[in-house]
Amino acid sequence: MAWTDFQLTVTTPLFNDDDPTVGLRVSSVRGAMRFWFRALAGTVYGSSVPALARAEQKVFGSTEGASPVRLRLTGQPTARAMIKAGEPAAFLAGVPAEDHEPGKWVAYLLGQGHAAKRRPGWATTRPHTRPGHRFTLKVGFSGDPAVDSLVLASLWLACAYGGFGARTRKGFGNVRLTYKGGPLPEGPWREHVPDAPEFDHYQELDHLPVDGPLKICADLLTGLVPIPESADGPRVAPQPILGVGNTSATLADFAEDSWEAVAAETGERYRRFRASVAHRSPNPGYKPPIKTPEYEMVIHGTDDRFPLGALGLPVNYKGGAKVTAYKEGRDELRRASPLWFRFVENEEEGTWGLFSFAFHNPFLPADQDLSIRLTGKRVENKNVYITDDDVHERTRAWMESLRGAAS
């Protein structure tokens, strides 16, 4: 079999596994590619989940049959490029915050599962691959131009907008894709080499488009699985999908000299966006002394509207209060944030910026027995409500705050 090689250059810390000897696994690459395949295919199949699933199986395989396209990874990081859990991480030590806690706001983006307070500073709690490391992804194409073109579309999308491993929505696990050699499938990727987009690509976007080679690839889907007559348009697709009306995006109006500095700025802005009111106590035990509006109105009040949850569930509060979704009143569900952050480099200027985008798919499936509840020992346990309009309003407000960052 002839292999086609792609270089994956890590641009932000990549958290893939608790195994300190493995920086990235093929399963992680394939999983991310499947997500972005569904985001593209949803623009064709709309609400017809069975048709989309059949198309995905033809490209990526299923439990009943392997994918016709083979993937291999080489170039696992040596000890020098792999940071073990608990070891000092330079990206958490080099960016001062206003209260003199280096790395605080980058750690905020990482979350409690991946960063912990140390004295002094912060440390990662899971191993990760340093930025700058290069993996080689070897792709063995199937010989079917449609399948192979869609595999490349999925890989390009994952590398252009997403990433691999944990916390990709918050800007970690980003990689730069570079075609290194080998046969490319018949189709659009011979004319449009699937390298990472340049900085000006992100400058031009107010949504995630389906154009150029992506549009050609989307058109190939009906040759794999026809569109059912009962399929609705893409705007009612239950999963995240690309395109106008289904996504929004912007490049923030600020730049820094490193991705770490952009991440710190982003982390602080995002915290202040979520927690937009002053705490009633001048010294609540943390800095800055701010809180979410929902803390008083919902958690310790009588309101049952919880728009903060539109940015992801569960939401945990100090003291044990929690808001999350339940299926049939019992099983807890997570709802990932519709917001994504990506730190992009402007090589001409020698600076970095924040590209942020959001998916506008329904907040929760409408055809399931789901509820959202506030629970805790010191609060009134009650049902609360989050609407699709909350998703649109919260993500719109975030984009507007980034566009006005310089002012």
Side-chain angles (χ1 to χ4, degrees):
M1 171 180 283
W3 294 94
T4 303
D5 290 352
F6 296 91
Q7 182 175 283
L8 305 178
T9 304
V10 179
T11 59
T12 60
L14 195 160
F15 295 81
N16 183 66
D17 206 316
D18 286 333
D19 184 345
T21 66
V22 178
L24 182 61
R25 297 184 186 275
V26 168
S27 58
S28 294
V29 175
R30 196 181 293 272
M33 290 169 63
R34 281 179 175 268
F35 174 91
W36 289 99
F37 173 87
R38 292 190 291 269
L40 177 62
T43 65
V44 174
Y45 296 115
S47 62
S48 181
V49 175
L52 188 151
R54 289 195 296 272
E56 182 178 347
Q57 290 167 8
K58 284 181 176 288
V59 175
F60 289 102
S62 67
T63 56
E64 298 177 356
S67 170
V69 177
R70 300 176 65 184
L71 302 179
R72 290 183 179 175
L73 267 175
T74 63
Q76 292 294 340
T78 62
R80 192 170 187 177
M82 192 80 171
I83 306 301
K84 296 180 181 178
E87 289 186 346
F91 72 92
L92 290 178
V95 182
E98 65 175 27
D99 51 4
H100 308 294
E101 290 189 48
K104 171 178 178 175
W105 296 115
V106 186
Y108 175 72
L109 293 182
L110 266 179
Q112 295 179 353
H114 290 80
K117 189 76 170 66
R118 297 286 188 264
R119 293 190 180 277
W122 295 79
T124 58
T125 57
R126 295 185 178 181
H128 66 274
T129 303
R130 290 178 185 267
H133 181 74
R134 297 181 178 92
F135 297 93
T136 297
L137 178 66
K138 304 177 79 68
V139 182
F141 290 112
S142 68
D144 182 321
V147 168
D148 295 341
S149 294
L150 286 161
V151 163
L152 275 187
S154 305
L155 177 62
W156 186 88
L157 284 165
C159 295
Y161 302 127
F164 303 119
R167 305 299 288 176
T168 53
R169 282 177 169 80
K170 293 299 182 283
F172 297 93
N174 292 172
V175 301
R176 183 183 301 112
L177 178 69
T178 307
Y179 167 66
K180 300 302 289 184
L184 291 171
E186 178 184 342
W189 298 111
R190 289 186 179 177
E191 180 180 353
H192 304 273
V193 176
D195 285 348
E198 300 294 336
F199 185 78
D200 58 3
H201 171 82
Y202 300 101
Q203 284 182 304
E204 298 166 357
L205 298 184
D206 61 9
H207 67 281
L208 301 190
V210 181
D211 55 12
L214 295 179
K215 179 62 169 66
I216 296 172
C217 290
D219 291 341
L220 295 172
L221 283 160
T222 55
L224 296 178
V225 176
I227 302 174
E229 293 183 2
S230 60
D232 295 321
R235 293 199 178 196
V236 294
Q239 79 282 354
I241 63 173
L242 305 174
V244 177
N246 305 312
T247 58
S248 57
T250 194
L251 184 70
D253 196 10
F254 67 86
E256 304 287 352
D257 60 3
S258 67
W259 77 264
E260 296 96 329
V262 173
E265 177 75 9
T266 302
E268 182 172 4
R269 287 181 181 274
Y270 190 53
R271 172 57 182 164
R272 293 183 182 278
F273 174 76
R274 291 171 60 96
S276 57
V277 299
H279 200 286
R280 58 187 173 184
S281 169
N283 186 22
Y286 58 85
K287 296 180 181 180
I290 53 179
K291 61 185 177 181
T292 67
E294 291 83 357
Y295 183 76
E296 294 285 355
M297 298 171 62
V298 181
I299 307 303
H300 294 287
T302 59
D303 203 335
D304 60 3
R305 284 291 306 280
F306 193 72
L308 177 66
L311 300 177
L313 293 174
V315 177
N316 297 295
Y317 282 90
K318 186 177 181 180
K322 177 171 69 173
V323 176
T324 195
Y326 293 87
K327 183 175 183 179
E328 298 177 349
R330 300 186 306 272
D331 300 327
E332 286 193 28
L333 301 177
R334 298 184 65 86
R335 205 299 188 177
S337 174
L339 276 177
W340 293 62
F341 306 153
R342 184 176 181 86
F343 309 127
V344 293
E345 185 178 12
N346 184 341
E347 293 185 340
E348 288 188 6
E349 299 292 335
T351 59
W352 289 74
L354 166 67
F355 177 69
S356 186
F357 62 90
F359 288 105
H360 297 160
N361 55 295
F363 181 71
L364 291 174
D367 59 346
Q368 299 183 23
D369 182 12
L370 303 177
S371 61
I372 304 170
R373 289 189 58 78
L374 164 65
T375 60
K377 293 182 178 180
R378 300 180 181 179
V379 298
E380 176 191 356
N381 287 221
K382 59 185 178 181
N383 286 337
V384 297
Y385 300 92
I386 302 166
T387 68
D388 294 347
D389 287 341
D390 291 329
V391 176
H392 297 162
E393 192 283 326
R394 289 286 76 203
T395 56
R396 177 197 57 77
W398 170 249
M399 300 296 173
E400 288 185 355
S401 75
L402 295 180
R403 295 186 188 106
S407 61

